[in-house]
Every structure is written in structure tokens, then in C-alpha cells.
Amino acid sequence: MIEKGEVYMLNDEICKLRDKLNKSIESGDDYSIIYQLSIELDELIAQYYKTNKEVIKK
């Protein structure tokens, strides 16, 4: 069973990872690091929308 708290937790993780990605871009990190962070962020966002959709259906 999916709870609203899980959606909020995912949102927090997305914000943290987005900040990490932005800092990585600003500091000129290697492209492979930036790319990996971007993939992880995309996956979290997809999970957020899927989870949020399931919560709304309840």
C-alpha cells in the first residue's frame, strides 16, 4: 500500500539529487558523472509520478 508520506519522501530525494546534479554541472565534473546523476534523477521522477498517480487513485 502506498502512502502520501512515500510521495513526500520521493520529492525530497528528487530535490537533493537535483541539487547534487546542479552542483556537479556548475563545478564542471566529468560528463559520465553528470550523465549518471541525470539518469538517476529521471528514474526518481518517473517513480514519483507513478507513486503519486497510485495515491490519487485511492
Side-chain angles (χ1 to χ4, degrees):
M1 180 184 250
I2 297 171
E3 302 291 329
K4 280 190 176 184
E6 188 175 343
V7 173
Y8 294 127
M9 210 164 46
L10 279 170
N11 189 46
D12 289 343
E13 289 180 48
I14 288 168
C15 290
K16 289 175 188 173
L17 190 53
R18 185 180 60 223
D19 289 342
K20 187 175 180 179
L21 175 60
N22 288 339
K23 288 177 186 174
S24 183
I25 292 168
E26 289 171 0
S27 65
D29 285 348
D30 187 72
Y31 178 76
S32 62
I33 294 169
I34 294 170
Y35 182 70
Q36 184 60 42
L37 289 171
S38 180
I39 290 172
E40 291 174 26
L41 182 57
D42 287 347
E43 290 171 353
L44 271 180
I45 291 170
Q47 185 179 355
Y48 171 86
Y49 280 111
K50 180 182 179 204
T51 303
N52 195 40
K53 184 177 179 181
E54 291 174 12
V55 168
I56 291 172
K57 283 184 178 179
K58 286 185 182 181

